[in-house]
Amino acid sequence: MEGKVIGPGPYRATKLWNETIKLFRGGMPLRRHWAHFRYFDCSFTGSEAVDYLHELLRRNYNFGPEVTRYQTLQLLKKFLKAHVIEDIKGRHGTEDFEDSGHLYRFPTLSPLKSFPTRPLLKDSSDLPRLIRWDDYEELPQRENIPPQKSAVMTSDLWNKRHSVAIGDVHECKLIRRKEITPKQVDHIWKSMTVAHLQRVLGLQSMDGVLNHTHVNDKHIVHNVFKVNRTGIVVLENKAEDMPYWVISAMKCLANWPNGNETKQPMYPGFERDVLRTVGEYFQRLKEPLLTFHLYEVFVNILSLLHNQEVATEALQVSSLLLPPPNRRRLQLLLRLMARVCHNPHLPPLNDTIATRTLMVQMFSHCVLGSVDEMDLDELLATKLVTFMMEHHNTIFQVPSKLRRQVEEHLSHLKRVQIKYAGSDTDFSSSPAFCKQISRVESEEQKVIGTQTPLQELLEGLIADKELPAKDKKKRLKQFQKSYPEVYHHRFPTEESKAAVIPEKTPRPKPHLMFFNLKKPFQPFQRSWSFRA
């Protein structure tokens, strides 16, 4: 399609506006026209402009074939008001563009919009900070506590301790972190959801696209877990839901001709009145369903629609940020639109406009819009809503990858605790966790902090009577190799070692009979005497 694809980034709508103006100015055919007994060079009629721009927008990937001639006319009216074009007398702004033989021309310079500036957040970080497992508070030093008795360890317990003491696990520092609260779980969902959205959009920063202070973590958690079996959000406060008469009207159209729960009498045009009732409700909403705060997020997704899988995932993540009442209304509305478009039993809802086009035109501006009423809002909303309607069954599913990442992170926060069940010489009375420390701290702990536990470990190994002597010697030798200073302090001499671990008395060697193999073997000669 014509025109380059405007990729994701801040102020994408402004980029699209400027790009559309450049394409229109660069491609619109200009020629001499006669009017009022004189000719005007480099001009065009209103109808010629509508014809050309309509075809340009339909073939441009950023807008697509859903653009109607009426929408093109509305855009040209905005062009005239913004002095992108002017009539042949140089008038603009207050004049109304006409789809007729009225003549127009381009001014010397068509104004391009400048990108708005937004105040920087006090927090320089784009993403909310993720709670990590090393968020902790160090254990206080306990004083005046008598040392614990050295316990006799079984071979299984020794194996557990041995893996930590002799290098199978990196050096650890006992620390304590607070219990994870529900508030922290909500914050983790928020942080990982926003980070996942940034990766899917392919952005290096969310600056200008999303202000994370406008993201409510409770909305995300609600949208993930509080849904019915069909995936529709369930609201705790029923007052936030749509009125009963709106829901009944939507069901009537969605299940036509079997959806008339109120059993009201049917008459010719009844279905059009029902649609008008639903449309008036959504058009009176104070804010689009996708909210003003998330406008840039959803506009950025437009550049991903060529890749259905990526675009679907981006919509799945971004729709989690919606307030639950908005998400529920959007789910029910898109489902209604899809069913109406594919219902062969439903009579035509308009005499001149196809049902699909009618549904998109009627509800697109109720779904996406900016607080400043951007000039391309209607065209952008048309394309986005068309895609969402076609994929309404999948765009509200929670991304499995995001759910798995959050669950693994929460699981990691719980499983890093170091504690041996059943140990009667527990290293701490509270949950302990590993924390990376500096080399200097590590060396200090080796000298000060590890001597006593290692000595207790060695004494427990020596006193273990259930451990076979062969295995005990093997483990003592391994301990000696890993911690020679502790081992030498316990066994300064061979005699001290023998006193604790006596060597077994060697068994006497059996007497052996040797033969001289160089000489041939000769049997013994023996004389026998017999008595008569």
Side-chain angles (χ1 to χ4, degrees):
M1 295 193 181
E2 291 186 2
K4 65 180 181 179
V5 178
I6 305 298
Y11 319 119
R12 185 174 183 273
T14 302
K15 295 179 182 178
L16 282 172
W17 170 266
N18 292 341
E19 177 69 15
T20 304
I21 292 176
K22 292 177 182 178
L23 291 175
F24 181 51
R25 281 182 63 96
M28 178 66 204
L30 305 177
R31 61 186 181 89
R32 175 179 293 183
H33 290 83
W34 287 85
H36 307 295
F37 305 103
R38 58 176 295 190
Y39 65 86
F40 297 89
D41 290 326
C42 300
S43 60
F44 53 88
T45 67
S47 297
E48 291 172 345
V50 175
D51 291 339
Y52 176 79
L53 184 58
H54 184 212
E55 188 62 23
L56 173 68
L57 295 175
R58 285 171 55 84
R59 289 186 287 109
N60 187 291
Y61 177 79
N62 295 297
F63 303 102
E66 299 292 336
V67 178
T68 64
R69 187 177 180 86
Y70 174 79
Q71 291 173 326
T72 305
L73 177 61
Q74 298 303 310
L75 180 58
L76 283 167
K77 290 182 178 181
K78 294 178 181 179
F79 280 177
L80 182 60
K81 184 177 182 180
H83 202 193
V84 175
I85 58 177
E86 62 185 14
D87 69 5
I88 55 173
K89 295 183 180 180
R91 295 175 299 187
H92 64 90
T94 58
E95 301 297 316
D96 192 18
F97 183 87
E98 299 177 11
D99 185 3
S100 64
H102 194 77
L103 296 182
Y104 298 90
R105 67 189 179 190
F106 290 114
T108 305
L109 293 176
S110 291
L112 299 180
K113 289 188 176 182
S114 58
F115 297 108
T117 57
R118 296 182 180 179
L120 295 177
L121 298 176
K122 294 182 179 180
D123 185 4
S124 60
S125 174
D126 290 327
L127 301 178
R129 182 180 180 277
L130 180 63
I131 298 175
R132 303 188 302 264
W133 67 269
D134 57 349
D135 292 335
Y136 67 92
E137 54 184 15
E138 297 191 13
L139 287 172
Q141 296 291 334
R142 295 182 294 179
E143 300 179 355
N144 302 324
I145 297 179
Q148 297 178 343
K149 287 187 177 182
S150 299
V152 177
M153 294 187 293
T154 64
S155 57
D156 291 338
L157 181 57
W158 193 92
N159 286 330
K160 295 177 182 179
R161 295 288 179 81
H162 175 267
S163 64
V164 176
I166 312 184
D168 291 349
V169 179
H170 293 294
E171 195 75 32
C172 292
K173 180 179 180 180
L174 294 181
I175 59 177
R176 177 199 302 141
R177 76 175 317 285
K178 297 179 180 179
E179 192 74 19
I180 302 176
T181 64
K183 184 177 180 180
Q184 289 174 323
V185 173
D186 295 346
H187 181 82
I188 289 173
W189 268 102
K190 172 182 175 179
S191 178
M192 299 192 74
T193 301
V194 175
H196 191 84
L197 177 60
Q198 178 177 327
R199 288 193 296 270
V200 175
L201 293 178
L203 299 175
Q204 295 181 351
S205 170
M206 296 296 284
D207 183 35
V209 177
L210 176 65
N211 185 343
H212 66 80
T213 59
H214 294 151
V215 178
N216 190 319
D217 49 13
K218 293 188 179 299
H219 290 170
I220 299 175
V221 175
H222 188 116
N223 292 332
V224 171
F225 297 104
K226 296 182 180 180
V227 297
N228 60 21
R229 61 181 183 178
T230 60
I232 304 295
V233 172
V234 177
L235 301 179
E236 296 179 345
N237 184 3
K238 299 303 180 182
E240 297 178 337
D241 203 353
M242 292 182 290
Y244 174 76
W245 55 269
V246 176
I247 297 178
S248 298
M250 295 176 72
K251 288 182 178 180
C252 178
L253 282 178
N255 302 310
W256 186 275
N258 303 316
N260 189 4
E261 294 181 349
T262 59
K263 306 301 181 182
Q264 294 183 1
M266 307 282 286
Y267 54 86
F270 176 78
E271 67 283 349
R272 297 188 180 189
D273 289 342
V274 175
L275 177 61
R276 189 179 302 110
T277 299
V278 176
E280 290 175 353
Y281 168 78
F282 282 97
Q283 290 165 5
R284 287 198 302 264
L285 294 177
K286 298 180 180 179
E287 186 180 28
L289 295 176
L290 296 181
T291 74
F292 293 137
H293 293 313
L294 299 178
Y295 174 79
E296 287 288 348
V297 173
F298 286 98
V299 168
N300 273 270
I301 296 176
L302 286 169
S303 63
L304 306 175
L305 297 187
H306 64 283
N307 189 328
Q308 179 180 328
E309 183 178 354
V310 176
T312 299
E313 184 177 6
L315 287 170
Q316 288 174 341
V317 181
S318 54
S319 62
L320 290 176
L321 309 181
L322 295 173
N326 289 45
R327 181 180 171 94
R328 175 177 171 83
R329 290 184 177 91
L330 183 60
Q331 287 178 291
L332 295 177
L333 176 60
L334 291 175
R335 187 174 68 175
L336 167 68
M337 295 170 63
R339 290 187 178 181
V340 167
C341 291
H342 295 91
N343 188 349
H345 305 290
L346 190 65
L349 298 174
N350 189 281
D351 295 332
T352 58
I353 304 177
T355 300
R356 175 187 172 90
T357 304
L358 176 65
M359 299 301 289
V360 174
Q361 286 187 5
M362 179 176 288
F363 295 108
S364 59
H365 66 280
C366 306
V367 176
L368 178 68
S370 62
V371 65
D372 299 323
E373 295 186 2
M374 301 293 290
D375 294 310
L376 296 178
D377 277 357
E378 187 174 357
L379 297 178
L380 299 179
T382 297
K383 184 170 185 180
L384 182 64
V385 171
T386 300
F387 183 90
M388 297 179 72
M389 180 180 67
E390 294 173 347
H391 302 88
H392 72 281
N393 287 325
T394 57
I395 61 174
F396 292 107
Q397 298 175 2
V398 180
S400 57
K401 185 176 181 180
L402 173 62
R403 185 191 291 269
R404 183 173 64 254
Q405 288 175 343
V406 175
E407 291 175 349
E408 288 178 353
H409 185 77
L410 293 173
S411 177
H412 176 66
L413 293 177
K414 300 174 183 178
R415 70 169 176 258
V416 292
Q417 181 178 354
I418 302 177
K419 186 176 181 180
Y420 297 111
S423 171
D424 51 359
T425 54
D426 199 359
F427 287 127
S428 66
S429 58
S430 58
F433 297 85
C434 289
K435 176 200 173 185
Q436 185 176 2
I437 60 177
S438 65
R439 185 180 297 277
V440 176
E441 290 180 293
S442 177
E443 294 300 325
E444 291 177 354
Q445 290 186 18
K446 284 183 179 179
V447 177
I448 301 174
T450 61
Q451 296 294 323
T452 301
L454 290 173
Q455 290 172 359
E456 294 178 355
L457 180 64
L458 181 57
E459 293 297 334
L461 175 60
I462 295 171
D464 188 0
K465 297 180 180 180
E466 298 181 2
L467 189 65
K470 184 177 180 180
D471 293 341
K472 182 179 293 188
K473 286 184 179 181
K474 183 177 179 180
R475 294 177 181 179
L476 283 172
K477 187 175 181 180
Q478 192 174 10
F479 189 98
Q480 180 184 11
K481 183 178 180 181
S482 301
Y483 298 98
E485 294 181 1
V486 178
Y487 187 87
H488 181 71
H489 183 269
R490 180 62 179 83
F491 301 115
T493 62
E494 288 295 328
E495 289 76 8
S496 60
K497 178 181 177 181
V500 176
I501 310 173
E503 295 287 343
K504 290 189 176 181
T505 306
R507 292 182 296 177
K509 297 181 179 180
H511 294 284
L512 300 177
M513 182 178 294
F514 298 93
F515 299 95
N516 190 347
L517 300 178
K518 293 183 180 181
K519 295 182 180 181
F521 175 75
Q522 296 179 355
F524 291 102
Q525 299 292 330
R526 189 168 187 178
S527 59
W528 300 88
S529 61
F530 299 93
R531 291 186 180 180

